[in-house]
Amino acid sequence: MTVNSNGALSVEPRSNAENEAPHVKALAGKVALITGAARGIGRTMANRFAHEGASVVIADIDVENGPAAAYEIVSRGGSAHFHAVDITNESHVQLLFDSVLREFSRLDILVNNAGVGLNRTFLETSLSEWDRLMRVVLTGTFLCSQAAARSMVARGRGNIINIASISGQRGAQSRAAYGAAKAGVIQLTRVMAVELAPLGVRVNAISPGPVLTDQSLGTHTEATRKSYVDRIPMHRYGERDEIAAAALFLASDESSFVNGHILNVDGGFHAAGLMFDPTAE
């Protein structure tokens, strides 16, 4: 600021560097455990959380890709640890959470992302396929949430995010087991939110629509992809970064009054009814 010959004050503009506010990391100092984070959406979430300052625990049965996912974060200056775990095994889950609490003394955020997919018609779904989907998608979410919630309740605060699916809300061909399991995750989310909120723990869920992942690229046929794109108002698949951004919002204090919510990240797929081109004859 200077004074000119007329006695008026003038303010010199700051440089761009001075105008840029420092990035405030949304999860600075937090400890976050993400299941199924060795690959895909979970791995993208792990990187995003670490970039925002969280110490990330990658929990996955995939012992080949899990360490690489953790190293990827560490090589970029973040904090990450890999723990091999079968989330359908109660004793394995308890050992995982005991280890995290010994290492960090607390857990702030749990993301239940681990899951498996299945495209099989109702009449062709075997009992073993049904049981596997229920164990991994629903029972795994239950076991990890219960173990995490016990430690969070003891501290009086915590945050749990479940990854559900639009398939748990809409009927679709070949989604009997998967859709039923994800619908269970949605209802479990609501019950947990109601019971745990008075104890200081928030619980929400994300329901992705179709997302570009190695799994969807490998299992969705050209006809499946065209059908989705035609029925999604935004006419495209989602990106992993878009699911990670939603998870970051729910994990951060920006969502401090959001509880029991099912956040659809689907390009409007769930909202859509009859879809047609009004310009077509």
Side-chain angles (χ1 to χ4, degrees), residues 146-171:
Q146 196 174 65
R150 284 170 176 155
S151 68
M152 291 174 177
V153 167
R155 296 180 61 236
R157 59 185 180 275
N159 192 341
I160 298 175
I161 303 165
N162 297 325
I163 305 301
S165 172
I166 291 299
S167 293
Q169 302 179 58
R170 293 187 58 155

Side-chain angles (χ1 to χ4, degrees), residues 44-241:
T44 302
M45 285 192 291
N47 275 276
R48 186 68 181 271
F49 280 27
H51 177 71
E52 292 294 334
S55 295
V56 176
V57 178
I58 294 170
D60 205 302
I61 200 170
D62 186 347
V63 296
E64 179 179 349
N65 291 295
Y71 177 76
E72 181 179 47
I73 291 172
V74 173
S75 67
R76 295 173 178 172
S79 172
H81 306 260
F82 171 69
H83 287 264
V85 63
D86 176 0
I87 62 167
T88 69
N89 186 307
E90 185 176 13
S91 62
H92 285 195
V93 170
Q94 193 57 56
L95 286 172
L96 165 67
F97 283 87
D98 288 345
S99 177
V100 171
L101 292 176
R102 279 197 306 270
E103 189 168 2
F104 296 100
S105 77
R106 74 185 193 282
L107 177 65
D108 300 294
I109 303 159
L110 167 67
V111 182
N112 285 303
N113 171 74
V116 291
L118 179 69
N119 290 312
R120 191 86 72 228
T121 65
F122 169 70
L123 291 177
E124 294 176 340
T125 300
S126 68
L127 179 59
S128 62
E129 289 172 330
W130 175 272
D131 286 343
R132 180 170 181 258
L133 262 292
M134 293 300 163
R135 284 199 314 273
V136 176
V137 174
L138 186 52
T139 302
T141 296
F142 165 75
L143 290 174
C144 290
S145 295
Q146 196 174 65
R150 284 170 176 155
S151 68
M152 291 174 177
V153 167
R155 296 180 61 236
R157 59 185 180 275
N159 192 341
I160 298 175
I161 303 165
N162 297 325
I163 305 301
S165 172
I166 291 299
S167 293
Q169 302 179 58
R170 293 187 58 155
Q173 296 98 326
S174 302
R175 292 308 231 184
Y178 184 79
K182 289 297 189 179
V185 169
I186 289 171
Q187 186 62 9
L188 179 61
T189 298
R190 292 173 174 142
V191 173
M192 288 167 55
V194 171
E195 292 188 1
L196 298 178
L199 305 175
V201 179
R202 290 192 297 121
V203 187
N204 295 285
I206 296 171
S207 278
V211 178
L212 287 173
T213 63
D214 291 340
Q215 184 184 59
S216 67
L217 290 173
T219 60
H220 290 190
T221 65
E222 183 177 346
T224 300
R225 287 192 288 271
K226 183 180 184 307
S227 182
Y228 271 130
V229 170
D230 286 346
R231 287 165 174 77
I232 296 171
M234 293 182 71
H235 297 302
R236 67 174 176 86
Y237 274 45
E239 300 283 349
R240 289 176 295 181
D241 287 338

Side-chain angles (χ1 to χ4, degrees), residues 10 16 27 37 87 89 96 154 167 210 234 241 248 251 255 263-264 267 280:
S10 64
N16 288 335
L27 303 180
I87 62 167
N89 186 307
L96 165 67
S167 293
M234 293 182 71
D241 287 338
L248 175 61
S255 62
L263 176 57
N264 294 339

